[in-house]
Amino acid sequence: MRMTEETTKKTDAKRLKPMKAAVFIAILLATAAAASAVMAIRVWKNARSGGLFSWNRSVMYSRGIDELLDTMERYGLTELYQNVPSDCDTAIIEELIVKCSDKGIRVYLLAGEPEWALEQDGSSLIRVINRAADWNRAMPEGLRIAGVMSDIEPHILKDQDSARLMECFADGYAAAMAEAGKQELELIACIPYYFDDEGRRAGLERLVKDGCTGLAVMNYYRGSESEHILTEAELAKKYDRRIITIYELQEEGKYGLTDRNTYNSVGLDALYDNYGKLRRDYFPQRIDYALHSYEALLEMTERESRE
């Protein structure tokens, strides 16, 4: 009887081993998947710095600010590039800065017109910088606009000599950067990804060296972001400047956008996957990201919540 019991126990033990191994592997896989999901959220929400472009001035008012900040908090965005009317009351600016500061969000004035590229003295851009400095001086200590996100886009101008235009563009930024330095403000230059492909590399290098504290690259060619930012990343590293890769969210057809230029149709998960790859490609260099724009992000969020 004892031998039979022992034999039975041994047989049962042999049967249990594969079962235990399978359960153990399943637990490991589940744990790994959970850890991967948590890591994905961390990378998305804590990716050095995530920014959001907002051209909609209505968000400057109480309910608009609250909805904007809820959206930014949901996606872990920590920088706001907000277009602000030049005659905006200081009290409205202060409310925006206070609410953003409470959420750990830095605010930059978003401004720019293609014609500013023709201003070799950077006069229009300098006016925006001085406006930000004036608002900073008018607000209580500890509250401040971090800087200016300048979206000039000289490539939109027609019938211009490319080399001369780039020289003028870089000169204007150099003058504006000198003023931004005096006012202790950051100046981020927003540029398309293809400047280096159009014989403008010398002007681009001067822009990075003398005209800004950081580059924000309109990296609007889905799937090729890593290779398209190569020159800009090299220059940013050489001159110790920030670099931000911008993802377009607006729908195909707007402003001449094709499906390949935007993540509107493929969704935010695909965008996250691409940004994760880009960060790995350039590690350990810091590459931040930004989303364009707030209105498009709201539309995508609403659509994806219904699916």
Side-chain angles (χ1 to χ4, degrees):
M1 183 69 178
R2 185 180 301 167
M3 288 182 63
T4 303
E5 288 178 355
E6 288 177 357
T7 302
T8 302
K9 286 178 182 177
K10 287 179 181 178
T11 303
D12 290 344
K14 287 179 181 179
R15 288 174 180 166
L16 284 171
K17 279 182 180 179
M19 292 174 62
K20 287 180 179 178
V23 171
F24 180 68
I25 290 169
I27 292 171
L28 278 179
L29 290 172
T31 304
S36 177
V38 169
M39 184 58 70
I41 292 169
R42 280 186 189 150
V43 172
W44 175 253
K45 290 198 169 184
N46 301 315
R48 300 296 181 112
S49 185
L52 182 64
F53 283 77
S54 173
W55 293 97
N56 187 346
R57 294 177 175 180
S58 67
V59 304
M60 297 292 299
Y61 304 94
S62 295
R63 289 189 63 186
I65 294 175
D66 293 338
E67 184 179 15
L68 169 67
L69 295 183
D70 286 345
T71 302
M72 293 188 71
E73 191 170 27
R74 174 175 182 174
Y75 291 103
L77 301 169
T78 57
E79 292 185 351
L80 173 63
Y81 316 122
Q82 177 63 49
N83 185 244
V84 178
S86 59
D87 60 351
C88 187
D89 190 271
T90 302
I92 295 173
I93 290 287
E94 185 175 327
E95 181 184 9
L96 174 68
I97 302 299
V98 166
K99 289 191 171 186
C100 285
S101 181
D102 288 344
K103 299 284 188 180
I105 294 170
R106 291 158 56 82
V107 178
Y108 296 74
L109 296 189
L110 172 60
E113 296 292 341
E115 291 73 23
W116 293 8
L118 301 174
E119 298 174 355
Q120 199 159 7
D121 61 357
S123 55
S124 293
L125 186 49
I126 287 172
R127 279 195 293 273
V128 176
I129 290 166
N130 287 330
R131 193 183 310 142
D134 289 342
W135 278 326
N136 280 346
R137 282 189 285 270
M139 288 188 289
E141 187 176 353
L143 297 178
R144 58 182 286 106
I145 295 164
V148 174
M149 171 65 79
S150 175
D151 186 14
I152 294 177
E153 304 193 34
H155 52 283
I156 292 176
L157 296 174
K158 305 296 184 185
D159 302 321
Q160 298 290 328
D161 177 84
S162 179
R164 174 62 187 144
L165 178 62
M166 193 64 186
E167 181 183 353
C168 191
F169 179 64
D171 285 344
Y173 262 106
M177 184 60 221
E179 185 63 27
K182 292 177 188 175
Q183 304 293 355
E184 299 182 337
L185 289 166
E186 296 176 43
L187 177 57
I188 303 175
C190 188
I191 62 169
Y193 70 84
Y194 48 77
F195 263 179
D196 57 314
D197 295 333
E198 296 187 345
R200 295 169 171 164
R201 194 188 189 286
L204 176 60
E205 180 158 7
R206 178 150 182 258
L207 169 65
V208 178
K209 180 176 180 286
D210 300 324
C212 65
T213 59
L215 281 180
V217 183
M218 293 180 282
N219 208 354
Y220 301 163
Y221 201 88
R222 198 175 71 240
S224 299
E225 288 89 349
S226 190
E227 61 198 76
H228 281 170
I229 207 172
L230 179 61
T231 300
E232 293 81 1
E234 288 176 349
L235 291 173
K237 188 174 183 179
K238 180 177 180 179
Y239 295 106
D240 192 25
R241 300 290 186 257
R242 279 189 72 188
I243 183 163
I244 302 167
T245 183
I246 310 172
Y247 289 97
E248 181 63 85
L249 302 182
Q250 295 182 100
E251 64 185 358
E252 177 185 0
K254 281 190 176 180
Y255 308 107
L257 291 170
T258 68
D259 181 62
R260 193 67 186 271
N261 300 139
T262 176
Y263 277 81
N264 186 278
S265 64
V266 295
L268 295 172
D269 285 343
L271 187 156
Y272 155 71
D273 288 341
N274 180 273
Y275 178 60
K277 178 183 181 301
L278 188 146
R279 288 187 69 194
R280 290 191 298 273
D281 289 344
Y282 285 93
F283 182 83
Q285 183 177 6
R286 171 175 175 163
I287 307 282
D288 295 330
Y289 77 99
L291 306 178
H292 186 272
S293 62
Y294 171 51
E295 294 79 4
L297 178 61
L298 281 181
E299 292 169 6
M300 287 184 68
T301 300
E302 183 179 353
R303 187 179 70 224
E304 292 187 2
S305 68
R306 294 195 304 264
E307 293 175 353

